[in-house]
């Protein structure tokens, strides 16, 4: 058989085979897909907001805008404050009755409409804690990642129970009226009692008071039959500084001293009373309307005062004296400004928190 015949019958030809080193195209594509790293997902959306932070009178010691902005950036992972942002956040810190510190916050859209508002209170006079809570509330309101889930089916409209309004803040000082009793020593010839009527303009950490007080007559026996009685009436101006429950004051007092004798002759002596000195004490509130003060005065006499008879000086007071007092104050809170905006508040399980 010739060579061509052999090729036609295939008797002497080798069978073609797929080389082992070649990989099928579909397998290579699958391996490449498994080994290729996933493309990084798009960065989450970021919020941008203008921030206006204010502290009302009496809250000057509260943290400034820097702490609120720093804590908000820490919680979000970036600083959302941008001067050109369409959204605007307004925050106001102000004092309430007693040791309360309040914060009112609102978010406004580009048209100026209120889209969110909160009112926070710190009852322990801790402004730093209040600012931290403000940052948390703003973070929840601003973080887009908390609002990407589709909204659930709308529920029936809840009933409107009341109108919510931005809390008002005091427009002036408060007024307190107090009645005091005191034990007085070193001013008149004998330890005696005193009463006082006190009126003051009160700010969160400062007050300016006016006090009228009378020290009851004190009697001193001069000889077997002679008796001298002395009493004092005066008015005092009292500025005070207060930190929490403790207060410190200075006072200036002007008044008259009256002296009378029984079975004894007295020589007329100067009756003008002028004194000054410090006052310190503690205030204990029972409610936002009533408080009690315990205080002590160091009285430094500035004018000459003595009891004198024909034979000479019968009694002269020391240069200084003092008193310990107890006073009950009744507080009249200042008028509060009306809020600028109002919005209905829905009550129910679906109401925002």
């Amino acid at each position: 058989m010739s060579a061509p015949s052999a090729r036609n019958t295939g008797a002497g030809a080798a069978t073609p085979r797929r080389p082992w080193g070649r990989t099928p195209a579909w397998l290579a594509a699958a391996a490449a897909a498994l080994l290729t790293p996933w493309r990084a997902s798009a960065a989450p959306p970021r919020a941008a907001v203008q921030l206006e932070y204010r502290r009302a009178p009496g809250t000057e010691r509260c943290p400034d805008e820097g702490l609120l902005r720093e804590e908000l950036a820490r919680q979000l992972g970036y600083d959302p404050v941008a001067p050109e942002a369409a959204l605007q956040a307004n925050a106001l810190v102000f004092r309430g009755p007693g040791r309360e510190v309040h914060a009112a916050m609102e978010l406004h859209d580009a048209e100026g409409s209120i889209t969110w508002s909160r009112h926070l209170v710190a009852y322990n006079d801790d402004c730093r804690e209040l600012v931290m809570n403000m940052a948390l509330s703003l973070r929840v309101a601003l973080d887009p990642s908390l609002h990407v889930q589709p909204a659930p089916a709308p529920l029936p409209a809840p009933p409107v129970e009341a109108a919510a309004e931005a809390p008002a803040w005091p427009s002036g000082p408060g007024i307190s009226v107090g009645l005091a009793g005191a034990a007085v020593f070193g001013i008149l010839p004998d330890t005696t009692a005193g009463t006082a009527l006190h009126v003051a303009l009160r700010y969160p950490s400062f007050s300016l008071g006016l006090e009228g007080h009378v020290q009851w007559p004190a009697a001193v026996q001069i000889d077997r039959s002679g008796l001298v009685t002395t009493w004092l009436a005066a008015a005092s101006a009292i500025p005070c500084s207060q930190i929490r429950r403790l207060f410190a004051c200075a006072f200036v007092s002007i008044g008259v001293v009256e002296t009378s004798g029984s079975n004894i002759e007295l020589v007329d002596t100067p009756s003008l009373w002028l004194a000054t000195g410090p006052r310190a004490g503690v205030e204990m509130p029972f409610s936002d309307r009533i408080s009690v003060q315990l205080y002590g005065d160091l009285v430094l006499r500035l004018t000459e005062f003595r009891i004198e008879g024909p034979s000479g000086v019968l009694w002269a007071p020391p240069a200084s004296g003092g008193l310990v007092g107890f006073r009950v104050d009744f507080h009249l809170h200042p008028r509060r400004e009306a809020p600028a905006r109002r919005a209905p508040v829905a009550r129910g399980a679906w109401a925002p928190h």
Side-chain angles (χ1 to χ4, degrees):
M1 183 181 294
S2 63
S5 298
R7 284 196 297 271
N8 291 335
T9 60
T15 304
R17 297 182 179 178
R18 181 177 297 169
W20 288 102
R22 183 177 301 172
T23 305
W26 65 269
L27 185 58
L34 291 175
L35 297 176
T36 301
W38 290 100
R39 178 179 300 177
S41 59
R46 291 190 172 193
V49 66
Q50 301 180 44
L51 178 61
E52 180 184 357
Y53 175 85
R54 292 182 297 150
R55 293 174 292 183
T59 61
E60 292 82 359
R61 296 185 180 181
C62 292
D64 58 13
E65 178 182 336
L67 179 62
L68 177 60
R69 185 170 175 178
E70 176 185 345
E71 180 62 18
L72 183 59
R74 186 190 68 80
Q75 295 190 23
L76 286 171
Y78 61 91
D79 186 0
V81 179
E84 69 281 0
L87 197 63
Q88 180 173 353
N90 295 335
L92 173 68
V93 177
F94 60 96
R95 284 202 170 273
R99 301 177 61 195
E100 295 180 8
V101 186
H102 296 246
M105 296 184 295
E106 292 178 347
L107 283 181
H108 299 255
D109 59 18
E111 288 74 27
S113 300
I114 300 176
T115 61
W116 173 89
S117 65
R118 284 296 180 273
H119 176 204
L120 304 177
V121 184
Y123 294 96
N124 56 354
D125 203 17
D126 191 342
C127 285
R128 184 178 179 85
E129 176 187 346
L130 181 65
V131 172
M132 293 297 186
N133 291 336
M134 292 170 65
L136 179 59
S137 293
L138 280 176
R139 184 255 172 174
V140 173
L142 292 175
D143 192 350
S145 66
L146 300 180
H147 307 283
V148 297
Q149 297 298 326
L155 295 173
V160 177
E161 291 186 0
E165 57 187 30
W169 47 89
S171 61
I175 299 176
S176 67
V177 179
L179 185 62
V184 186
F185 51 89
I187 297 177
L188 299 182
D190 196 5
T191 299
T192 184
T195 56
L197 179 64
H198 184 93
V199 179
L201 296 177
R202 298 192 60 150
Y203 297 86
S205 58
F206 176 79
S207 67
L208 181 60
L210 184 64
E211 187 173 274
H213 55 93
V214 175
Q215 296 177 13
W216 297 357
V220 58
Q221 190 78 32
I222 300 301
D223 52 32
R224 291 183 178 180
S225 59
L227 186 66
V228 176
T229 303
T230 307
W231 63 279
L232 167 67
S236 301
I238 311 174
C240 295
S241 177
Q242 184 159 349
I243 301 177
R244 298 183 184 274
R245 295 187 179 183
L246 302 178
F247 61 88
C249 315
F251 65 85
V252 176
S253 178
I254 184 170
V256 294
V257 180
E258 290 293 334
T259 302
S260 60
S262 176
N263 298 325
I264 189 171
E265 183 181 357
L266 299 177
V267 176
D268 290 338
T269 57
S271 59
L272 176 65
W273 171 265
L274 184 62
T276 187
R279 170 178 293 183
V282 59
E283 182 177 45
M284 296 172 289
F286 283 95
S287 69
D288 61 344
R289 295 287 183 180
I290 301 176
S291 64
V292 170
Q293 286 192 0
L294 296 175
Y295 62 92
D297 290 0
L298 176 60
V299 182
L300 306 176
R301 182 169 51 84
L302 301 178
T303 52
E304 182 181 6
F305 165 59
R306 64 185 182 274
I307 300 175
E308 189 172 353
S311 58
V313 176
L314 303 177
W315 181 83
S320 63
L323 63 85
V324 176
F326 174 87
R327 190 174 79 225
V328 179
D329 280 343
F330 301 90
H331 305 289
L332 306 177
H333 293 308
R335 176 179 61 85
R336 294 178 176 265
E337 295 179 352
R341 303 179 180 87
R342 297 186 178 182
V345 173
R347 302 294 181 185
W350 50 82
H353 295 282

